[in-house]
Amino acid sequence: MSPHRRYRQTRDWITGQTLRLISEDDAMSTAEYAIGTVAAAAFGAILYTVVTGGDIVSALTGIINKALSTSVS
């Protein structure tokens, strides 16, 4: 087999595999949406807990107070 023919066969095979993978499943299934929704809700709950904790609120309040109390020259 000539190198050119081997190259064409390999290129055609890769092109076919790529097209198959791209067109095989275009969207998420219901289970994937459910897992993504649960993960987003859990992340939101953790973020809310961290942000509303006393240390974070006092740190943010201190930063805002410091920024508001600086004088512009």
Side-chain angles (χ1 to χ4, degrees), residues 37-49:
T37 302
V38 169
F43 180 73
I46 292 169
L47 185 61
Y48 177 78
T49 303

Side-chain angles (χ1 to χ4, degrees), residues 50-65:
V50 169
V51 170
T52 57
D55 294 335
I56 300 294
V57 171
S58 62
L60 290 174
T61 303
I63 291 170
I64 292 170
N65 286 336

